[in-house]
Amino acid sequence: MGTKEAVKRNQSSMQVLKTLQLLLEDNYTMTELIHKLNANEKEPIFNNSVVSKYINTCRFCGLDIPKIHNKYFVASLPFGIDLSARELDLIEDLQYSVKNTMSAKADELFSAFLGKLSKYSNKQIIRVEPKTKQQAFELFDRAVAEKRRVNLLFRAKAVFECIPLRIVEKKGKTCFNVIHDGKEKTISAERISGLEIMDRRFQQSDDSPAQDVVFKLKGALAERYTLKENEELTKNERPDSITITNRGERKEELFARLLRYDSSCEIIFPLHYREEMKNLLEEMLRNYEA
């Protein structure tokens, strides 16, 4: 009996490690994880419940595995590689050399290698490039949600330690809205080569700029919606949809109102508001299923 239990525990441990190995390869949805894990088994043994349990086991062991836009990714490891400033500079020099002296395919392979390396590093740091911009925005948005300071690494080699506020659109460009040296700044993502999330947290004072929330209304609701005093229309695609920027409304009050709009409403920014709204809807559905 004891031997069977030991074997069972060992099999479960191996499945946890297989799940972690896959997560370290790339970012996947739950459906993709199940499909890829079962592909290497004689018969399907992975399902939503099992994989969720294995991911939570990894989290219990100290791995940071958030779920953003339905995809799971490893944000940091408790046993990751400590990269020094000189090593990070060397990596940047190597990347510059590959980009400017080698083929596009080599550049693509090296970028993929850097993506894997970042997963094994103790530093929550990411290159800000066309291929990784969305992931960088998601990491920035997590820093806002967790109230963690960030380092913005400029292409001109400067480094700004900032309090992150939000992702904004300005003159058709996506920008990081931050507080640096006590002043609010809006910095184009095109000027940034890297983003690092720091361990140090910040306290957001009462006079900090209010949170902007961008949401889209669709269908008949878009036709009849009346803007509130603290809102402006940022994109008009009637009769299909409208996009609205809401400034300064308390999150609880805004969520309560947007929930009433059901599937006719979609939060665009900030990303952590989008995730919170999604989690609220999923919880409501589970309550009705029960």
Side-chain angles (χ1 to χ4, degrees):
M1 184 72 174
T3 303
K4 287 183 179 179
E5 288 178 356
V7 170
K8 184 177 179 182
R9 283 197 296 271
N10 183 55
Q11 287 175 340
S12 295
S13 300
M14 288 301 297
Q15 308 301 19
V16 171
L17 292 175
K18 287 178 183 177
T19 304
L20 176 58
Q21 181 184 33
L22 193 58
L23 287 168
L24 287 169
E25 289 177 5
D26 207 342
N27 310 325
Y28 295 112
T29 64
M30 177 60 72
T31 301
E32 290 168 338
L33 283 169
I34 294 169
H35 175 74
K36 287 179 176 292
L37 287 165
N38 279 328
N40 297 319
E41 302 295 332
K42 292 180 180 178
E43 57 183 42
I45 59 174
F46 291 92
N47 55 44
N48 193 306
S49 175
V50 168
V51 176
S52 294
K53 181 175 69 175
Y54 293 159
I55 290 174
N56 286 332
T57 299
C58 292
R59 288 168 172 163
F60 182 78
C61 293
L63 281 78
D64 187 8
I65 307 176
K67 178 185 176 185
I68 298 178
H69 286 180
N70 276 334
K71 289 195 173 185
Y72 296 88
F73 67 94
V74 177
S76 64
L77 296 168
F79 45 82
I81 305 168
D82 278 316
L83 295 172
S84 67
R86 287 188 64 185
E87 288 168 334
L88 289 170
D89 285 342
L90 177 59
I91 289 171
E92 186 167 347
D93 289 342
L94 284 170
Q95 186 177 34
Y96 178 83
S97 296
V98 170
K99 188 178 292 292
N100 289 280
T101 64
M102 300 183 73
S103 66
K105 182 63 177 177
D107 181 35
E108 183 180 343
L109 289 171
F110 191 72
S111 294
F113 163 73
L114 290 182
K116 289 182 179 179
L117 181 63
S118 69
K119 288 178 180 291
Y120 287 94
S121 169
N122 274 336
K123 291 182 178 293
Q124 293 188 65
I125 185 168
I126 187 171
R127 308 296 306 173
V128 181
E129 301 178 319
K131 298 173 188 173
T132 60
K133 266 188 179 179
Q134 186 59 35
Q135 189 178 350
F137 296 151
E138 291 169 357
L139 199 59
F140 181 92
D141 208 58
R142 277 210 314 120
V144 175
E146 296 175 3
K147 290 186 167 48
R148 294 188 185 277
R149 293 176 179 270
V150 302
N151 272 337
L152 294 181
L153 290 69
F154 284 75
R155 298 191 185 282
K157 302 298 185 181
V159 178
F160 279 10
E161 181 181 324
C162 310
I163 292 175
L165 298 177
R166 59 186 73 85
I167 300 291
V168 298
E169 296 290 328
K170 187 175 182 181
K171 296 181 179 179
K173 295 182 178 180
T174 306
C175 304
F176 298 107
N177 189 213
V178 300
I179 294 176
H180 174 66
D181 283 345
K183 297 180 181 178
E184 184 177 351
K185 299 179 184 292
T186 301
I187 302 167
S188 170
E190 294 177 1
R191 297 178 58 198
I192 304 300
S193 64
L195 170 70
E196 179 182 2
I197 308 302
M198 305 178 70
D199 292 332
R200 288 206 302 136
R201 295 180 182 271
F202 64 86
Q203 296 294 325
Q204 199 160 10
S205 60
D206 293 336
D207 58 353
S208 294
Q211 176 75 71
D212 288 0
V213 180
V214 180
F215 60 91
K216 179 187 285 189
L217 300 179
K218 307 167 189 174
L221 181 61
E223 286 284 348
R224 66 173 187 270
Y225 186 79
T226 302
L227 291 173
K228 313 302 179 193
E229 187 177 345
N230 60 325
E231 293 178 341
E232 67 174 283
L233 184 66
T234 51
K235 187 181 289 186
N236 187 348
E237 296 180 325
R238 290 187 174 103
D240 296 324
S241 68
I242 56 174
T243 302
I244 296 164
T245 298
N246 177 291
R247 293 190 169 89
E249 187 170 353
R250 288 181 64 249
K251 181 172 71 172
E252 293 78 9
E253 295 173 357
L254 179 62
F255 273 24
R257 181 159 62 87
L258 297 188
L259 278 170
R260 295 200 301 269
Y261 302 152
D262 198 32
S263 59
S264 297
C265 176
E266 177 189 4
I267 292 180
I268 309 298
F269 281 115
L271 295 175
H272 67 275
Y273 271 37
R274 181 184 177 93
E275 285 299 304
E276 286 182 49
M277 176 65 84
K278 181 184 170 185
N279 291 336
L280 276 173
L281 290 169
E282 288 177 349
E283 186 176 344
M284 289 171 64
L285 286 172
R286 283 196 298 270
N287 289 337
Y288 279 109
E289 288 171 359

